[in-house]
Amino acid sequence: MPDPAPHAAPRGLVLVNLGTPESATPDAVRRYLREFLTDRRVVQIPHIVWKPLLDLVILPRRSPVVAEKYAEIWMDGGSPLRAYTERLAAAVQARLPAWRVRAAMRYGTPAFADAVEALQAQGVREIVVLPLYPQYSTTTTGSVEDAVAAIRARLPGLRIDLIPDYHRDTRWVAAVADSIRAHWATHGRGDRLLLSFHGIPERLVRAGDPYAAQCEAGTQAIAAALGLDRDDLLLTYQSRFGRERWLQPYTLTTVEQLGREGVRTLDVACPGFAVDCLETLEEIAMQNADAFRAAGGGEFRYIPCLNDGAAHAEALAAIAGDVAA
Ligand SMILES: C=CC1=C(C)c2cc3[nH]c(cc4nc(cc5[nH]c(cc1n2)c(C)c5CCC(=O)O)C(CCC(=O)O)=C4C)c(C)c3C=C
Ligand SMILES: [Fe+2]
Ligand SMILES: [Fe+2]
């Protein structure tokens, strides 16, 4: 391939994460949850039933409780999910000088459509969209695909490619394995290693969502990269919402069981989350850690997400570069 012409239009890369409230207040949490939980990719209950339930019961009850949880993890740069995603985009930009890299959120700000339009205004004609979900799910990546379809219809002159998943990409797997090894180098290897992924309803997997299979395949790849057998790792699912049966085993039930068994040191990583957020910093590192100890367990050692670390930025830059090659 010849080098691109010196005045070739720059390529765009949009790293898309879920979204998060603007502030740790009940009002901001309510606005965020309302947008998120009315996406039909996320909740499939007919709106005629779901909207009144959401507005009259779920949001009034949940928003103040969840706002307090956000307040416990809030950072100087705002919500951890947004702050880390923006730092990650800057770290990827540093590795792709010929590109224009932006962070965007599927719900809330910086809005995905605004990021794409800003790139277009900078002269970008080809955009790679990288949802920050290593494993594909209709509930997450599928929703970003909907947003891409809407933009394509509105801006037909743009070429937009989307990376559906990277759960077995060797560079990403190596970055996760290295982060676990680095934790062991500092703290020593724990008695057990558990990988906790965000859950989804089992119903969606039965209907064809590949998410669970990708969590399993990624776990096998991470085990192999660590030189372990698959049986040396536990894979569990967290963050259940609602009454339906979600993917099993549940993280909370498992850590309580491990605590009852008297496990002294438990290492926990969350490789489905690109960056730390409410579901890792509060649910795992606080709630699940407390539950483990209350059940009789010893030390619960949370291994942070890849966040804006060099290995992560390099892996994502390489994954995006492959699409454009
Ligand atoms: C309604 C059901 C939900 C599905 C399905 C779901 C799938 C899903 N979510 C993530 C990643 C994240 N979820 C986060 C928060 C969060 N998720 C749900 C519900 C569902 N998620 C809710 C209601 C919330 C908000 C918190 C709460 O009210 O309990 C976050 C963190 C956001 C933050 O601001 O820090 C992430 C990230 C994945 C990967 C996924 C499916 C695979
Ligand atoms: Fe979620
Ligand atoms: Fe949660």
Side-chain angles (χ1 to χ4, degrees), residues 7-250:
H7 300 295
R11 288 176 195 279
L13 172 62
V14 187
L15 303 181
V16 188
N17 212 335
L18 182 80
T20 197
E22 294 288 322
S23 63
T25 60
D27 274 357
V29 170
R30 174 194 283 258
R31 277 195 301 278
Y32 158 67
L33 287 179
R34 194 162 201 285
E35 185 185 359
F36 177 23
L37 296 175
T38 48
D39 183 341
R40 289 174 190 279
R41 293 288 205 164
V42 181
V43 176
Q44 293 79 33
I45 301 167
H47 275 185
I48 187 137
V49 180
W50 179 238
K51 280 251 181 76
L53 188 64
L54 191 61
D55 282 331
L56 300 174
V57 183
I58 296 169
L59 294 179
R61 279 195 203 154
R62 196 172 185 97
S63 307
V65 177
V66 173
E68 278 182 27
K69 296 176 193 271
Y70 274 107
E72 289 190 72
I73 60 158
W74 212 251
M75 303 186 353
D76 285 345
S79 172
L81 180 112
R82 179 163 174 182
Y84 285 126
T85 302
E86 286 178 339
R87 286 189 212 165
L88 175 60
V92 173
Q93 175 70 81
R95 287 159 177 87
L96 293 175
W99 295 52
R100 301 283 179 271
V101 182
R102 283 180 176 260
M105 298 293 156
R106 176 63 185 85
Y107 313 105
T109 55
F112 175 66
D114 292 349
V116 171
E117 280 170 23
L119 286 172
Q120 194 189 33
Q122 287 180 297
V124 168
R125 297 288 168 264
E126 293 179 21
I127 294 180
V128 175
V129 173
L130 176 46
L132 290 173
Y133 309 117
Q135 303 80 24
Y136 182 98
S137 169
T138 52
T139 62
T140 50
T141 323
S143 173
V144 178
E145 286 174 332
D146 294 345
V148 167
I151 280 272
R152 277 197 190 115
R154 207 146 55 74
L155 305 173
L158 271 183
R159 174 180 171 154
I160 308 182
D161 293 300
L162 178 137
I163 299 171
D165 68 83
Y166 49 95
H167 68 287
R168 290 218 299 197
D169 181 276
T170 50
R171 297 154 297 196
W172 176 77
V173 169
V176 173
D178 285 348
S179 77
I180 294 170
R181 268 196 224 98
H183 167 87
W184 286 342
T186 313
H187 302 277
R189 187 165 157 193
D191 293 337
R192 305 297 294 270
L193 172 61
L194 182 149
L195 303 187
S196 176
F197 293 84
H198 199 299
I200 61 170
E202 272 188 349
R203 167 180 53 84
L204 296 175
V205 173
R206 283 196 300 273
D209 192 308
Y211 180 71
Q214 294 198 2
C215 292
E216 177 55 41
T219 298
Q220 286 175 19
I222 292 164
L226 288 169
L228 299 176
D229 292 333
R230 169 64 185 86
D231 292 351
D232 295 332
L233 271 73
L234 293 157
L235 186 177
T236 61
Y237 293 99
Q238 64 178 84
S239 312
R240 180 171 169 224
F241 177 88
R243 297 202 188 144
E244 203 178 354
R245 196 177 146 94
W246 278 34
L247 288 171
Q248 312 261 339
Y250 297 135

Side-chain angles (χ1 to χ4, degrees), residues 62 239 278-279 283:
R62 196 172 185 97
S239 312
L278 187 71
E279 308 300 78
E283 182 176 343

Side-chain angles (χ1 to χ4, degrees), residues 302-321:
Y302 173 63
I303 303 169
C305 293
L306 296 178
N307 292 328
D308 59 339
H312 197 199
E314 268 153 38
L316 297 186
I319 289 167

